[in-house]
Amino acid sequence: MIGLGTYAYFWQHSDRVPAPLSLIGAFEDTKAQGVDLFQICDYAPLESMTDAELRDAAAAARDLGLTIELGTKGIEPERLARFLEIAGVFDARLVRSMLYSPDTRPTLAEGEAWLRQALPAYEAAGVTLALETYEQLATADLVGLVERVGSEQLGICLDPGNVVARLERPRDCVEATASLVKNVHVKDFAFARQPGWVGFTYSGARMGEGLHDYLHLLETVRPRERGVNEIVEHWLPWQGDAETTIRTERDWTRATIDYLRSTR
């Protein structure tokens, strides 16, 4: 399934715009775009919502016919246990995370121990934990960690644009992780010269206009044949004012949805 994530609404959710979009507002907008899947990923308010607020949000998603996935940062057993509880409220079948949280940076051995502690509950609930590829961890180390734990409910959230910052090639990341991928983050990326040609910036690009060889990812990972969801998100820099930024963010979302549908 194609889905939208909170990173597709990054600026619309932010306090830099006059009327920030609520979570339920993002649900409604997702449905209005003909998309039936939403990933609540790194959305800080989720962790402070009361049980009643979580139930209300989950009810809103159900009323709209949306499937929900969750996302957090970190693999501390208590964090993973809490997100499994939240997954139960939303009937979510996937939680995406990253090895490190803002407060913890486990070694690979510590991470393996934490995952072994947390995963039996995920296995019992039928919820998949997908750890994202990113610049904080070598892809080979992430693959090794997932393979050592060896749980069917543990896999990788593939976001090959992230690993460029540790000088890994996105194509290599795709090929190294393919068999373990449980979730895909879809965003294009590109380099641009700084004014005066004094270096480069690495940032997001409108889907299909950057460096991402998404057809290679589709051919290598085969997400649609395997039931792996593709979640739209962006790295959109602030465009100078709220109106332009929101308009561009929405344009990038529509362009990415159209691109994904064109490849079916």
Side-chain angles (χ1 to χ4, degrees):
M1 292 176 69
I2 296 171
L4 300 184
T6 37
Y7 280 100
Y9 293 90
F10 182 83
W11 292 117
Q12 292 169 78
H13 281 313
S14 82
D15 59 10
R16 292 188 68 174
V17 302
L21 189 68
S22 68
L23 182 61
I24 292 175
F27 292 170
E28 293 168 343
D29 187 75
T30 296
K31 192 66 180 181
Q33 300 201 51
V35 175
D36 295 325
L37 170 65
F38 189 87
Q39 187 175 89
I40 310 170
C41 189
D42 301 343
Y43 183 73
L46 188 72
E47 297 188 54
S48 59
M49 290 168 70
T50 65
D51 289 346
E53 289 169 334
L54 288 171
R55 287 195 298 271
D56 287 346
R62 278 194 297 274
D63 289 347
L64 289 165
L66 284 182
T67 296
I68 298 295
E69 296 179 346
L70 303 177
T72 184
K73 294 177 180 173
I75 58 168
E76 312 95 292
E78 56 275 16
R79 175 184 298 277
L80 295 183
R82 176 56 182 156
F83 268 80
L84 186 59
E85 291 177 354
I86 300 174
V89 176
F90 284 93
D91 198 24
R93 313 315 294 172
L94 184 133
V95 175
R96 161 277 200 192
S97 195
M98 296 172 155
L99 188 65
Y100 306 141
S101 76
D103 304 315
T104 60
R105 195 176 178 88
T107 64
L108 290 173
E110 290 169 336
E112 181 177 339
W114 289 356
L115 289 170
R116 290 188 185 281
Q117 182 177 339
L119 274 165
Y122 277 69
E123 292 164 350
V127 174
T128 295
L129 176 64
L131 301 180
E132 185 162 341
T133 56
Y134 70 145
E135 77 288 352
Q136 300 291 311
L137 184 68
T139 299
D141 287 339
L142 178 61
V143 168
L145 176 63
V146 171
E147 289 181 336
R148 283 195 301 279
V149 174
S151 169
E152 183 57 33
Q153 299 305 132
L154 176 66
I156 286 176
C157 174
L158 176 59
D159 192 336
N162 286 344
V163 303
V164 173
R166 63 178 299 116
L167 302 182
E168 292 186 4
R169 296 198 320 155
R171 286 177 68 95
D172 293 344
C173 177
V174 169
E175 291 167 8
T177 61
S179 65
L180 299 170
V181 170
K182 302 288 191 181
N183 197 241
V184 176
H185 280 176
V186 184
K187 63 171 178 275
D188 210 342
F189 42 85
F191 289 93
R193 278 284 189 183
Q194 290 273 25
W197 283 49
V198 286
F200 299 89
T201 55
Y202 178 58
S203 186
R206 194 171 186 266
M207 191 68 187
E209 298 178 3
L211 296 172
H212 196 352
D213 188 350
Y214 199 74
L215 294 180
H216 170 258
L217 185 152
L218 290 177
E219 293 167 359
T220 306
V221 178
R222 311 191 81 77
R224 295 160 191 179
E225 296 174 28
R226 297 166 54 199
V228 172
N229 294 330
E230 300 161 81
I231 306 298
V232 175
E233 58 179 43
H234 314 302
W235 277 342
L236 174 67
W238 181 253
Q239 299 294 296
D241 62 78
E243 180 181 356
T244 306
T245 302
I246 290 174
R247 184 172 64 249
T248 306
E249 189 170 68
R250 294 183 65 80
D251 171 66
W252 281 26
T253 296
R254 174 49 56 189
T256 309
I257 293 170
D258 290 346
Y259 177 90
L260 292 174
R261 289 175 172 162
S262 76
T263 58
R264 289 182 177 272

